[in-house]
């Protein structure tokens, strides 16, 4: 087999990259180790930045998102027995977020790529990249795929980043002393917007996926087990952490899925080795507090698309050579914002009275200062995207 761009991973990064390249007349093949059913049902992030929404709409894959997604123009920070709304419509006019599940984005992209004749191979065993410095190719299940470049969009645990020789990448990592327990519940949301709640019991997040499905998260110990969290305990803890303002009552119902996520920050740089380009979680991880993971992946593949289109149109590698530096500028901004949101809202040590007072003081500042609230709002809805292309 022969293609121009070999893409490893059929998550949102790999699928969107394949679609954007197709729009520019560039051929690609996507290799995915899991089944189509698995990648379409995998529950992940659901908050899309304004820039991500714009990219999907401009690429012609936003029809269902526009019909079913939930635009939000603010979030609530809840602490100290009161709720404080951060109004995006006033602080960052014309910009918002849209709640639309990652698995729905994946379904839309798969359907569009297959309708366009795109090549997505699922259930592919033993994918491995080779000859990364020149004449790269991928092997899988006894087959070989030759390509001009390889895009590693296969996530944190994928095969592409480990294929880079030791000593090439600089690794930056921070592990947090807690995890998130996430659930999907078949109940209408209890509020119209996301609620980020800080309490001495730990952090809780009220979110949603549709008018009928709610999404909740609880801060739990890093060694927590799902067996330790039956439905009754989950709802009791959500009530204790969210029902902290007068008049708010949590709507409860059947829990249809649950998962545990480690909380970590991770960056591998540069995001390139030879003709292998890393994108999305293969290169960087952020704690989900700032809702940046999927959005960073979209930003990465947008830059990579422009660089590859420039290569095939002009023969110049200038934009590919700048790919890592262009992406990392945004990655580190998102790293800082995600770290800031995480440290602002989580309980790190229940005996640290000094730390809790600092958190409260900072929350008071964010919710009373126009400048501080604007900083949160503009980072949350997403800073303007940079393609890496020269500006006129």
């Amino acid at each position: 087999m022969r293609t121009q761009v070999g893409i490893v991973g059929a998550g949102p990064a790999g699928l969107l990259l394949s679609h954007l390249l197709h729009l520019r007349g560039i051929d690609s093949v996507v290799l995915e180790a899991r089944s189509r059913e698995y990648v379409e049902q995998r529950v992940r992030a659901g908050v899309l930045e304004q820039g991500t929404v714009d990219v999907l709409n401009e690429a012609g894959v936003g029809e269902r998102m526009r019909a079913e997604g939930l635009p939000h123009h603010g979030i609530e920070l809840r602490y100290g027995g009161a709720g404080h709304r951060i109004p995006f419509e006033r602080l960052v006019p014309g910009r918002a977020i849209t709640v639309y599940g990652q698995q729905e984005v994946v379904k839309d992209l798969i359907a569009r790529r297959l309708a366009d004749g795109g090549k997505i191979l699922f259930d592919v065993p033993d994918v491995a990249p080779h000859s990364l410095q020149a004449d790269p190719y991928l092997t899988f299940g006894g087959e070989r795929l030759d390509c001009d470049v390889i895009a590693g969009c296969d996530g944190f645990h994928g095969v592409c980043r480990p294929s880079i020789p030791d000593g090439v990448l600089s690794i930056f990592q921070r592990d947090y002393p807690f995890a998130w327990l996430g659930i999907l519940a078949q109940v209408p949301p209890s509020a119209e917007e996301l609620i980020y709640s800080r309490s001495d019991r730990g952090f809780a997040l009220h979110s949603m996926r549709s008018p009928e499905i709610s999404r909740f998260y609880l801060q739990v110990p890093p060694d927590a087990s799902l067996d330790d969290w039956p439905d009754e305990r989950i709802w009791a803890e959500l009530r204790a952490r969210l029902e902290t303002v007068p008049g708010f009552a949590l709507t409860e119902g059947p829990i249809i899925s649950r998962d545990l996520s480690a909380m970590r920050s991770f960056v591998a740089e540069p995001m390139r080795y030879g003709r292998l380009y890393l994108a999305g979680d293969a290169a960087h991880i952020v704690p989900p507090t700032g809702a940046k993971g999927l959005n960073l992946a979209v930003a990465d593949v947008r830059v990579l698309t422009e660089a590859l289109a420039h290569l095939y149109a002009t023969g110049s590698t200038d934009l590919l050579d700048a790919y890592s530096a262009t992406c990392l500028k945004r990655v580190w901004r998102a790293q800082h914002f995600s770290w800031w949101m995480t440290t602002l809202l989580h309980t790190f040590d229940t005996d640290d009275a000094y730390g809790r007072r600092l958190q409260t003081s900072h929350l008071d500042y964010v919710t009373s200062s126009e400048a501080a609230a604007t900083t949160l709002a503009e980072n949350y809805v997403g800073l303007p995207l940079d393609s890496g292309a020269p500006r006129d």
Side-chain angles (χ1 to χ4, degrees), residues 65-80:
M65 174 188 66
R66 292 192 299 274
E68 301 178 13
L70 306 175
H72 284 203
H73 299 277
I75 59 172
E76 179 183 326
L77 300 182
R78 184 172 291 188
Y79 69 99

PDB file of all heavy atoms in Angstrom, residues 65-80:
ATOM      1  N   MET A  65     -23.574  18.625  15.073  1.00  0.00           N
ATOM      2  CA  MET A  65     -23.154  19.413  16.232  1.00  0.00           C
ATOM      3  C   MET A  65     -24.021  20.658  16.380  1.00  0.00           C
ATOM      4  O   MET A  65     -24.442  21.006  17.496  1.00  0.00           O
ATOM      5  CB  MET A  65     -21.683  19.805  16.091  1.00  0.00           C
ATOM      6  CG  MET A  65     -21.160  20.750  17.162  1.00  0.00           C
ATOM      7  SD  MET A  65     -19.492  21.340  16.787  1.00  0.00           S
ATOM      8  CE  MET A  65     -19.812  22.330  15.304  1.00  0.00           C
ATOM      9  N   ARG A  66     -24.316  21.330  15.276  1.00  0.00           N
ATOM     10  CA  ARG A  66     -25.163  22.528  15.345  1.00  0.00           C
ATOM     11  C   ARG A  66     -26.579  22.176  15.782  1.00  0.00           C
ATOM     12  O   ARG A  66     -27.237  22.958  16.472  1.00  0.00           O
ATOM     13  CB  ARG A  66     -25.192  23.233  13.990  1.00  0.00           C
ATOM     14  CG  ARG A  66     -23.860  23.858  13.583  1.00  0.00           C
ATOM     15  CD  ARG A  66     -24.023  24.790  12.387  1.00  0.00           C
ATOM     16  NE  ARG A  66     -24.519  24.112  11.200  1.00  0.00           N
ATOM     17  CZ  ARG A  66     -23.758  23.487  10.321  1.00  0.00           C
ATOM     18  NH1 ARG A  66     -22.434  23.444  10.507  1.00  0.00           N
ATOM     19  NH2 ARG A  66     -24.281  22.904   9.246  1.00  0.00           N
ATOM     20  N   ALA A  67     -27.061  21.000  15.376  1.00  0.00           N
ATOM     21  CA  ALA A  67     -28.431  20.606  15.709  1.00  0.00           C
ATOM     22  C   ALA A  67     -28.558  20.085  17.136  1.00  0.00           C
ATOM     23  O   ALA A  67     -29.562  20.354  17.814  1.00  0.00           O
ATOM     24  CB  ALA A  67     -28.918  19.544  14.723  1.00  0.00           C
ATOM     25  N   GLU A  68     -27.535  19.350  17.603  1.00  0.00           N
ATOM     26  CA  GLU A  68     -27.655  18.660  18.888  1.00  0.00           C
ATOM     27  C   GLU A  68     -26.747  19.216  19.979  1.00  0.00           C
ATOM     28  O   GLU A  68     -26.977  18.948  21.155  1.00  0.00           O
ATOM     29  CB  GLU A  68     -27.358  17.165  18.693  1.00  0.00           C
ATOM     30  CG  GLU A  68     -28.286  16.481  17.710  1.00  0.00           C
ATOM     31  CD  GLU A  68     -27.936  15.014  17.506  1.00  0.00           C
ATOM     32  OE1 GLU A  68     -27.147  14.476  18.304  1.00  0.00           O
ATOM     33  OE2 GLU A  68     -28.463  14.406  16.535  1.00  0.00           O
ATOM     34  N   GLY A  69     -25.697  19.937  19.598  1.00  0.00           N
ATOM     35  CA  GLY A  69     -24.794  20.497  20.598  1.00  0.00           C
ATOM     36  C   GLY A  69     -25.466  21.572  21.434  1.00  0.00           C
ATOM     37  O   GLY A  69     -26.460  22.190  21.013  1.00  0.00           O
ATOM     38  N   LEU A  70     -24.925  21.789  22.614  1.00  0.00           N
ATOM     39  CA  LEU A  70     -25.505  22.750  23.555  1.00  0.00           C
ATOM     40  C   LEU A  70     -24.547  23.924  23.734  1.00  0.00           C
ATOM     41  O   LEU A  70     -23.561  23.828  24.466  1.00  0.00           O
ATOM     42  CB  LEU A  70     -25.756  22.076  24.907  1.00  0.00           C
ATOM     43  CG  LEU A  70     -26.598  20.793  24.891  1.00  0.00           C
ATOM     44  CD1 LEU A  70     -26.646  20.175  26.283  1.00  0.00           C
ATOM     45  CD2 LEU A  70     -28.011  21.082  24.378  1.00  0.00           C
ATOM     46  N   PRO A  71     -24.808  25.061  23.073  1.00  0.00           N
ATOM     47  CA  PRO A  71     -23.948  26.235  23.278  1.00  0.00           C
ATOM     48  C   PRO A  71     -24.107  26.774  24.691  1.00  0.00           C
ATOM     49  O   PRO A  71     -25.230  26.867  25.215  1.00  0.00           O
ATOM     50  CB  PRO A  71     -24.467  27.241  22.244  1.00  0.00           C
ATOM     51  CG  PRO A  71     -25.261  26.430  21.260  1.00  0.00           C
ATOM     52  CD  PRO A  71     -25.826  25.293  22.038  1.00  0.00           C
ATOM     53  N   HIS A  72     -22.980  27.132  25.310  1.00  0.00           N
ATOM     54  CA  HIS A  72     -22.986  27.690  26.657  1.00  0.00           C
ATOM     55  C   HIS A  72     -22.250  29.026  26.645  1.00  0.00           C
ATOM     56  O   HIS A  72     -21.191  29.153  26.025  1.00  0.00           O
ATOM     57  CB  HIS A  72     -22.303  26.746  27.643  1.00  0.00           C
ATOM     58  CG  HIS A  72     -23.147  25.568  28.018  1.00  0.00           C
ATOM     59  ND1 HIS A  72     -22.971  24.854  29.177  1.00  0.00           N
ATOM     60  CD2 HIS A  72     -24.190  24.972  27.387  1.00  0.00           C
ATOM     61  CE1 HIS A  72     -23.852  23.869  29.247  1.00  0.00           C
ATOM     62  NE2 HIS A  72     -24.597  23.923  28.165  1.00  0.00           N
ATOM     63  N   HIS A  73     -22.796  29.974  27.363  1.00  0.00           N
ATOM     64  CA  HIS A  73     -22.237  31.323  27.385  1.00  0.00           C
ATOM     65  C   HIS A  73     -21.742  31.710  28.779  1.00  0.00           C
ATOM     66  O   HIS A  73     -21.610  32.893  29.080  1.00  0.00           O
ATOM     67  CB  HIS A  73     -23.274  32.323  26.880  1.00  0.00           C
ATOM     68  CG  HIS A  73     -23.695  32.062  25.467  1.00  0.00           C
ATOM     69  ND1 HIS A  73     -22.984  32.508  24.379  1.00  0.00           N
ATOM     70  CD2 HIS A  73     -24.742  31.345  24.961  1.00  0.00           C
ATOM     71  CE1 HIS A  73     -23.570  32.119  23.267  1.00  0.00           C
ATOM     72  NE2 HIS A  73     -24.635  31.404  23.584  1.00  0.00           N
ATOM     73  N   GLY A  74     -21.447  30.704  29.597  1.00  0.00           N
ATOM     74  CA  GLY A  74     -20.911  30.962  30.919  1.00  0.00           C
ATOM     75  C   GLY A  74     -20.731  29.673  31.688  1.00  0.00           C
ATOM     76  O   GLY A  74     -21.207  28.609  31.271  1.00  0.00           O
ATOM     77  N   ILE A  75     -19.993  29.756  32.784  1.00  0.00           N
ATOM     78  CA  ILE A  75     -19.877  28.658  33.733  1.00  0.00           C
ATOM     79  C   ILE A  75     -20.072  29.221  35.131  1.00  0.00           C
ATOM     80  O   ILE A  75     -19.986  30.440  35.340  1.00  0.00           O
ATOM     81  CB  ILE A  75     -18.505  27.949  33.646  1.00  0.00           C
ATOM     82  CG1 ILE A  75     -17.359  28.936  33.931  1.00  0.00           C
ATOM     83  CG2 ILE A  75     -18.322  27.267  32.308  1.00  0.00           C
ATOM     84  CD1 ILE A  75     -15.999  28.274  34.065  1.00  0.00           C
ATOM     85  N   GLU A  76     -20.325  28.336  36.079  1.00  0.00           N
ATOM     86  CA  GLU A  76     -20.469  28.762  37.475  1.00  0.00           C
ATOM     87  C   GLU A  76     -19.321  28.210  38.305  1.00  0.00           C
ATOM     88  O   GLU A  76     -18.991  27.023  38.205  1.00  0.00           O
ATOM     89  CB  GLU A  76     -21.796  28.272  38.060  1.00  0.00           C
ATOM     90  CG  GLU A  76     -21.989  28.668  39.516  1.00  0.00           C
ATOM     91  CD  GLU A  76     -23.270  28.117  40.127  1.00  0.00           C
ATOM     92  OE1 GLU A  76     -24.284  28.005  39.397  1.00  0.00           O
ATOM     93  OE2 GLU A  76     -23.255  27.786  41.337  1.00  0.00           O
ATOM     94  N   LEU A  77     -18.723  29.067  39.109  1.00  0.00           N
ATOM     95  CA  LEU A  77     -17.782  28.644  40.147  1.00  0.00           C
ATOM     96  C   LEU A  77     -18.543  28.661  41.466  1.00  0.00           C
ATOM     97  O   LEU A  77     -19.069  29.701  41.882  1.00  0.00           O
ATOM     98  CB  LEU A  77     -16.582  29.596  40.213  1.00  0.00           C
ATOM     99  CG  LEU A  77     -15.737  29.737  38.941  1.00  0.00           C
ATOM    100  CD1 LEU A  77     -14.568  30.685  39.186  1.00  0.00           C
ATOM    101  CD2 LEU A  77     -15.229  28.376  38.464  1.00  0.00           C
ATOM    102  N   ARG A  78     -18.603  27.521  42.125  1.00  0.00           N
ATOM    103  CA  ARG A  78     -19.397  27.388  43.344  1.00  0.00           C
ATOM    104  C   ARG A  78     -18.457  27.070  44.506  1.00  0.00           C
ATOM    105  O   ARG A  78     -17.723  26.095  44.479  1.00  0.00           O
ATOM    106  CB  ARG A  78     -20.445  26.290  43.170  1.00  0.00           C
ATOM    107  CG  ARG A  78     -21.396  26.112  44.351  1.00  0.00           C
ATOM    108  CD  ARG A  78     -22.514  25.132  43.987  1.00  0.00           C
ATOM    109  NE  ARG A  78     -23.436  25.700  42.990  1.00  0.00           N
ATOM    110  CZ  ARG A  78     -24.574  25.125  42.620  1.00  0.00           C
ATOM    111  NH1 ARG A  78     -24.923  23.951  43.138  1.00  0.00           N
ATOM    112  NH2 ARG A  78     -25.345  25.698  41.713  1.00  0.00           N
ATOM    113  N   TYR A  79     -18.499  27.893  45.520  1.00  0.00           N
ATOM    114  CA  TYR A  79     -17.677  27.668  46.718  1.00  0.00           C
ATOM    115  C   TYR A  79     -18.218  28.541  47.839  1.00  0.00           C
ATOM    116  O   TYR A  79     -18.905  29.541  47.606  1.00  0.00           O
ATOM    117  CB  TYR A  79     -16.208  28.008  46.441  1.00  0.00           C
ATOM    118  CG  TYR A  79     -15.935  29.485  46.227  1.00  0.00           C
ATOM    119  CD1 TYR A  79     -15.437  30.288  47.257  1.00  0.00           C
ATOM    120  CD2 TYR A  79     -16.196  30.099  45.002  1.00  0.00           C
ATOM    121  CE1 TYR A  79     -15.208  31.645  47.063  1.00  0.00           C
ATOM    122  CE2 TYR A  79     -15.959  31.450  44.798  1.00  0.00           C
ATOM    123  CZ  TYR A  79     -15.467  32.218  45.839  1.00  0.00           C
ATOM    124  OH  TYR A  79     -15.256  33.562  45.655  1.00  0.00           O
ATOM    125  N   GLY A  80     -17.903  28.159  49.064  1.00  0.00           N
ATOM    126  CA  GLY A  80     -18.298  28.968  50.211  1.00  0.00           C
ATOM    127  C   GLY A  80     -19.783  29.205  50.340  1.00  0.00           C
ATOM    128  O   GLY A  80     -20.209  30.234  50.881  1.00  0.00           O
TER     129      GLY A  80
END
